[in-house]
Amino acid sequence: MLAGLLFVIPASIFLYGMVRDRRRLSNAVWLGITLVMLLLLLAEAGRDNPVLSLPLLLAFMLAVLGLLLLPLALLANGLVMVRREGRSLGNLLSLLAGLALIGEMIYFGWGIGQPNDWIRGSAIGLFLVSAYIAFLFVSLLLYSVIYGRTGRRTGFDGIVVLGAGLVGSKVPPLLASRLDRALRLYHRESEAGRSPIIVVSGGQGADEEVSEAFAMRRYLTERGVPESDIVLEDQATTTEENLRYSKELLAERGHTGRVVAVTNNYHVFRTAVLSRKQGLRLQVIGAPTAWYFVPSAFLREFVALLVRNPVVHALACVLLMAGGLALTQIN
C-alpha cells in the first residue's frame, strides 16, 4: 500500500506538470522519481512472484553491466569527437566524463576498504554524489526524448531556425539539418494552405565571414523558398537572444499565431525551458544529429541545465558528502 502511494504521488505530479506546461524543468525530476518508485513497487510485488522477480533481476544485471561499460563508451566517443570535430572543451566532454567515472570507480573500490573514516566517508560521499548526478542525467535524458516526441507538429504561422556555427561562409551539416527540417515544415504548412514565415536567427562570430542568418537565408533561397518568406535576424549570439529577437520580429510583422523553433534534437528541451523562462509560447522541434555528436552535445546541455540552479545542486552534493562521512561514524 505504501509503495503504491509513493508511486502514485510523484506520477500524479508529473502528469499534472505535463498538462500544465511541458517545458517545466521539474517535469524531468518528477519523471525520474516516478520511475524509481515504480521500480521499488515492482520489486515489492516481485518478492514472492517469480514472473516479476526474474525480469527485474535481469534488468538489474543489465543496468550494472551498462554502468560498468558506460565509462568505456564515453572514452570511445570522446576520441571520435576529438578526431572529427577538434579539441575544444565542448568536444572533450565525453572523454573527461569517462575519465571522471573511471577515477570515481577506482577511488570508491580502494577507499571503501580503508580503515581511515575520512577516506571511507569521502568514497561513500562521492558515490552518493555520482548517483545523484546520474539520476538527474537519466531523468533529463528520458524527459528530453518524451518532450521531443510529443506536442503539436502542424499548424504553425512562424518557423524560427536557431543558428549554429558556420565554416567560413558555408552552412555545415549540423546547421543544414536544422534548415532541412524547417524546409519540410515550410512545405507542409504551405501545402495545407497556410503562409508560414521563416525566421533565420544568428549573428556573426569572430571566425565567420558572414552572419549565420545570412548564410541560412542563402541556403533556403537556393532550395526554392521565396526571399519574401524569410526574415533575417542577424544580431543574436545566444539561444535566449535567438528566441526573443525572432519573436519580436514576427510580432512586428503582425504574425501572432503559433510559432515553432527548430534546432537539433539534443538541444530541444533546453530551448523549450529557455522559451518558458522568457514567457514565449512556442513549440520546439528537433532535427537529426550525427550519432557521434549526440553524447558530448547532450552533456553540454545537461551542464547548462544544471547551472540554472547551482546553489540547489551544490547544497545537495555537500549534504550527500556529509551523509557519506556520517555513515562511517555509525556504530
Side-chain angles (χ1 to χ4, degrees):
M1 178 63 182
L2 179 59
L5 187 62
L6 291 176
F7 166 72
V8 169
I9 292 174
S12 300
I13 297 174
F14 167 67
L15 292 174
Y16 173 75
M18 283 284 289
V19 172
R20 185 179 178 186
D21 194 333
R22 295 168 50 251
R23 302 171 298 171
R24 296 168 65 90
L25 187 57
S26 59
N27 291 346
V29 178
W30 285 114
L31 172 63
I33 295 173
T34 299
L35 294 177
V36 170
M37 292 299 105
L38 176 61
L39 289 175
L40 293 177
L41 180 62
L42 292 175
E44 176 71 19
R47 284 195 305 175
D48 302 317
N49 187 343
V51 175
L52 285 176
S53 59
L54 185 59
L56 284 173
L57 178 61
L58 180 60
F60 176 76
M61 294 174 62
L62 289 174
V64 171
L65 180 62
L67 180 63
L68 295 175
L69 294 178
L70 178 60
L72 299 179
L74 288 171
L75 288 177
N77 177 254
L79 293 175
V80 172
M81 280 293 294
V82 170
R83 187 170 67 251
R84 296 194 181 188
E85 302 291 335
R87 297 185 180 181
S88 68
L89 179 60
N91 295 337
L92 289 171
L93 277 179
S94 289
L95 189 64
L96 295 174
L99 291 173
L101 282 175
I102 291 175
E104 195 279 331
M105 289 179 177
I106 292 173
Y107 184 76
F108 179 77
W110 170 80
I112 197 67
Q114 298 301 307
N116 186 291
D117 286 347
W118 284 99
I119 295 178
R120 285 191 293 118
S122 63
I124 295 172
L126 282 175
F127 174 80
L128 294 175
V129 169
S130 299
Y132 170 72
I133 294 174
F135 165 78
L136 292 177
F137 182 83
V138 172
S139 298
L140 285 168
L141 177 62
L142 292 176
Y143 188 71
S144 294
V145 173
I146 292 173
Y147 180 89
R149 294 183 178 275
T150 58
R152 176 180 291 274
R153 286 293 185 271
T154 59
F156 301 115
D157 301 298
I159 303 170
V160 177
V161 188
L162 306 188
L166 302 176
V167 179
S169 63
K170 296 181 179 179
V171 171
L174 188 73
L175 182 54
S177 67
R178 301 183 185 186
L179 291 164
D180 291 340
R181 185 65 190 271
L183 271 171
R184 292 195 294 273
L185 286 171
Y186 172 82
H187 290 308
R188 188 168 64 192
E189 298 301 326
S190 298
E191 291 169 0
R194 284 178 283 273
S195 302
I197 291 293
I198 301 178
V199 180
V200 287
S201 176
Q204 182 174 352
D207 59 344
E208 295 171 340
E209 298 175 9
V210 296
S211 71
E212 294 168 7
F214 180 88
M216 293 159 72
R217 181 176 64 182
R218 182 173 59 198
Y219 184 96
L220 292 174
T221 55
E222 288 174 352
R223 285 155 180 80
V225 179
E227 194 165 327
S228 58
D229 287 349
I230 302 174
V231 177
L232 198 73
E233 189 291 292
D234 58 1
Q235 299 301 311
T237 58
T238 65
T239 301
E240 293 95 326
E241 291 179 351
N242 285 140
L243 296 171
R244 186 169 66 252
Y245 296 166
S246 298
K247 188 72 172 182
E248 290 173 357
L249 286 175
L250 284 171
E252 288 174 5
R253 286 160 175 75
H255 290 270
T256 57
R258 293 190 178 96
V259 178
V260 60
V262 180
T263 183
N264 286 91
N265 47 18
Y266 64 83
H267 191 227
V268 165
F269 183 53
R270 187 164 73 91
T271 302
V273 170
L274 292 173
S275 71
R276 180 177 182 271
K277 178 185 176 183
Q278 296 185 31
L280 304 177
R281 298 194 62 82
L282 52 80
Q283 173 76 23
V284 186
I285 290 179
T289 309
W291 65 268
Y292 69 87
F293 197 86
V294 173
S296 288
F298 191 79
L299 281 170
R300 289 200 300 269
E301 297 298 300
F302 176 65
V303 172
L305 287 169
L306 282 187
V307 298
R308 288 178 55 81
N309 298 290
V311 176
V312 173
H313 298 303
L315 180 60
C317 290
V318 169
L319 291 174
L320 289 170
M321 286 295 298
L325 293 170
L327 287 173
T328 62
Q329 305 303 316
I330 297 175
N331 298 327

